[in-house]
């Protein structure tokens, strides 16, 4: 099974969102359909970056590293 780490951007609000999933297209749809609690208020989202990992553990570790890095550099991040 493959896992993906992704970065979304909401241009209208200048917000970024980092997450991990097994299905990027379905996850982006959930963000844009207002199903995800945090991200629904900033839709629409566009996918600006994505990478594949072979295990969920690897994807969670990368997601955490990216979030820490973004928080240090950018105040418009979740």
């Amino acid at each position: 099974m493959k896992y993906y780490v992704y970065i979304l951007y909401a241009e209208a609000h200048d917000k970024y969102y980092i997450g991990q999933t097994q299905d990027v297209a379905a996850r982006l749809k959930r963000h844009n359909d207002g199903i995800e609690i945090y991200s629904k208020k900033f839709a629409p989202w566009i996918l600006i970056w994505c990478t594949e990992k072979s295990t969920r553990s690897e994807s969670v570790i990368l997601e955490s590293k990216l979030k820490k890095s973004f928080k240090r550099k950018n105040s418009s991040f979740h």
Side-chain angles (χ1 to χ4, degrees), residues 18 66-75 77-78:
I18 296 172
L66 289 171
K67 285 181 176 182
K68 286 177 186 174
S69 177
F70 260 74
K71 284 180 182 178
R72 283 192 295 263
K73 295 178 184 177
N74 191 332
S75 62
F77 163 74
H78 175 73

Side-chain angles (χ1 to χ4, degrees), residues 43-61:
W45 293 94
I46 58 169
L47 179 67
I48 61 169
W49 182 82
C50 180
T51 191
E52 182 181 306
K53 294 294 175 186
S54 57
T55 67
R56 185 165 189 276
S57 178
E58 288 177 333
S59 69
V60 169
I61 289 168

Side-chain angles (χ1 to χ4, degrees), residues 11-76:
E11 185 175 18
H13 301 280
D14 193 30
K15 295 280 186 187
Y16 293 89
Y17 184 94
I18 296 172
Q20 57 89 25
T21 186
Q22 290 180 306
D23 185 337
V24 178
R27 187 77 164 137
L28 178 59
K29 183 171 178 8
R30 288 178 59 89
H31 285 291
N32 283 325
D33 287 349
I35 296 169
E36 302 301 328
I37 294 170
Y38 171 80
S39 63
K40 69 181 179 180
K41 59 188 165 193
F42 301 113
W45 293 94
I46 58 169
L47 179 67
I48 61 169
W49 182 82
C50 180
T51 191
E52 182 181 306
K53 294 294 175 186
S54 57
T55 67
R56 185 165 189 276
S57 178
E58 288 177 333
S59 69
V60 169
I61 289 168
L62 178 56
E63 176 190 22
S64 178
K65 286 179 181 179
L66 289 171
K67 285 181 176 182
K68 286 177 186 174
S69 177
F70 260 74
K71 284 180 182 178
R72 283 192 295 263
K73 295 178 184 177
N74 191 332
S75 62
S76 62

